[in-house]
Amino acid sequence: MEIKTLSYSKNRKEIIQKCAEFFADELNLKNSTYKVFICTDPTLMRERRNNGVACKTGDKEITIAVDSRLPIKKLFYTLAHEMVHAKQFARGQYRSEKARNGKYRRYWCGKRIVADYVDQPWEIEAFSRESILVERLLSVLTKNMKKEQMS
């Protein structure tokens, strides 16, 4: 999976890029032919009431937006959550399509789902896996810091 991050902040861009690559590896997406574009948006939370969003924007393309003003730990959780959605799109588990009336129809494993946000299967998976992914990330970072301190 190819991942490209766009951000005005060089530090945030590097953090997001490395975290997204780590999460992609953890989600077994390394060999995926999808491209993921990640951008930061300082108005996402204020205007859309979201820390992040993910959507399929092309045949083999996924775009993720995260609020650039999130504290670093919240950024990790948000990015992990959205990368789970990227995995769902790439594997064909989750898809949405716009109906003629302008509303979206959402499908999980080929079956149309109409449910409240917290009961949607793609959200249940993303919320349950985000904590596991962040715990793994923080564990690796802690181990690497200890190694650096010892050398």
Side-chain angles (χ1 to χ4, degrees):
M1 174 173 276
E2 182 183 336
I3 300 171
K4 181 170 174 110
T5 303
L6 306 166
S7 177
Y8 288 113
S9 166
K10 188 176 180 180
N11 289 341
R12 282 270 165 141
K13 178 180 177 179
E14 190 175 322
I15 290 167
I16 291 168
Q17 182 71 31
K18 289 187 183 303
C19 286
E21 290 170 357
F22 178 85
F23 295 145
D25 193 36
E26 289 290 312
L27 293 165
N28 296 314
L29 293 172
K30 250 186 171 178
N31 296 325
S32 174
T33 56
Y34 273 76
K35 291 182 181 179
V36 175
F37 297 95
I38 303 171
C39 60
T40 59
D41 180 352
T43 66
L44 196 59
M45 183 60 182
R46 186 176 67 237
E47 292 180 6
R48 297 199 53 192
R49 302 217 181 267
N50 284 320
N51 291 329
V53 293
C55 57
K56 190 171 177 190
T57 49
D59 186 39
K60 294 280 186 177
E61 183 180 288
I62 299 163
T63 300
I64 293 173
V66 293
D67 193 306
S68 60
R69 296 175 302 153
L70 292 174
I72 197 71
K73 194 167 184 181
K74 188 67 178 172
L75 176 67
F76 291 164
Y77 279 91
T78 301
L79 189 55
H81 184 100
E82 301 309 330
M83 285 298 293
V84 172
H85 288 318
K87 185 264 312 173
Q88 294 165 344
F89 285 123
R91 294 206 179 130
Q93 296 171 304
Y94 173 53
R95 71 180 174 88
S96 65
E97 58 187 40
K98 200 170 191 175
R100 279 188 240 163
N101 63 6
K103 295 187 178 186
Y104 284 90
R105 291 186 180 149
R106 301 174 195 289
Y107 298 85
W108 180 251
C109 299
K111 182 180 174 190
R112 183 163 182 222
I113 303 292
V114 178
D116 291 334
Y117 177 78
V118 295
D119 297 323
Q120 296 167 340
W122 51 91
E123 293 301 339
I124 292 169
E125 180 187 18
F127 279 114
S128 68
R129 294 191 77 179
E130 72 182 33
S131 294
I132 295 165
L133 290 166
V134 172
E135 285 173 20
R136 287 183 184 160
L137 173 68
L138 294 176
S139 175
V140 168
L141 290 174
T142 302
K143 284 179 188 174
N144 288 345
M145 286 174 60
K146 285 180 182 177
K147 284 180 186 176
E148 285 181 18
Q149 288 174 350
M150 294 177 108
S151 52

